[in-house]
């Protein structure tokens, strides 16, 4: 089992920044992909960004150039730096850890006011 604890969500004005963090613990044996997904009201959960064990990243088109995903391997932590936030970025953001199975965090609310 893997446990994920997210932090860093909140309320911010459009154009502002937030940094999300997610710490993984438990049965981690190294070969994993970590990432962030989000669910806006009335919509499905969509990919925001992922980063592989080797450091390869992939972003949703809507966030390219504004969001940056990074990873601290020693701390089993993944970060999402979100800049130039827009009201349409408002969502619950979920951390994902993929290692054979998918594990999910509890979600953290990000609200961007116009």
């Amino acid at each position: 089992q893997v446990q994920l604890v997210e932090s860093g969500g909140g309320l911010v004005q459009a154009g502002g920044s937030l940094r999300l963090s997610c710490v993984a613990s438990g049965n981690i044996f190294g070969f994993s992909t970590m990432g962030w997904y989000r669910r806006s009201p009335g919509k499905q959960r969509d990919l925001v960004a992922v980063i592989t064990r080797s450091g390869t990243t992939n972003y949703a088109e809507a966030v390219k150039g504004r969001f940056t995903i990074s990873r601290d391997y020693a701390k089993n932590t993944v970060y999402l730096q979100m800049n130039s936030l827009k009201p349409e970025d408002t969502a619950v953001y979920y951390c994902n850890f993929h290692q054979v199975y998918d594990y999910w965090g509890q979600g953290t609310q990000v609200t961007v006011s116009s």
Side-chain angles (χ1 to χ4, degrees):
Q1 281 283 32
V2 174
Q3 294 78 42
L4 303 173
V5 178
E6 300 145 337
S7 60
L11 173 65
V12 65
Q13 289 188 332
S17 297
L18 284 174
R19 188 192 195 206
L20 305 183
S21 300
C22 173
V23 181
S25 62
N27 189 21
I28 298 169
F29 45 82
F31 296 96
S32 62
T33 295
M34 296 187 76
W36 292 94
Y37 290 70
R38 67 186 181 187
R39 178 179 286 153
S40 303
K43 297 185 178 181
Q44 65 182 17
R45 185 161 53 189
D46 291 326
L47 170 73
V48 176
V50 293
I51 183 167
T52 67
R53 176 65 183 177
S54 64
T56 301
T57 59
N58 187 35
Y59 294 92
E61 285 296 327
V63 307
K64 282 183 179 179
R66 299 188 298 122
F67 291 11
T68 302
I69 190 169
S70 60
R71 189 169 177 175
D72 186 327
Y73 297 96
K75 297 181 179 179
N76 290 319
T77 300
V78 65
Y79 305 97
L80 185 68
Q81 178 66 43
M82 305 185 293
N83 299 328
S84 302
L85 282 160
K86 304 175 181 180
E88 51 264 43
D89 294 318
T90 295
V92 178
Y93 284 70
Y94 296 91
C95 178
N96 172 266
F97 183 97
H98 179 77
Q99 177 182 271
V100 181
Y101 302 106
D102 277 311
Y103 299 91
W104 296 94
Q106 78 282 2
T108 184
Q109 176 71 46
V110 171
T111 302
V112 185
S113 63
S114 58

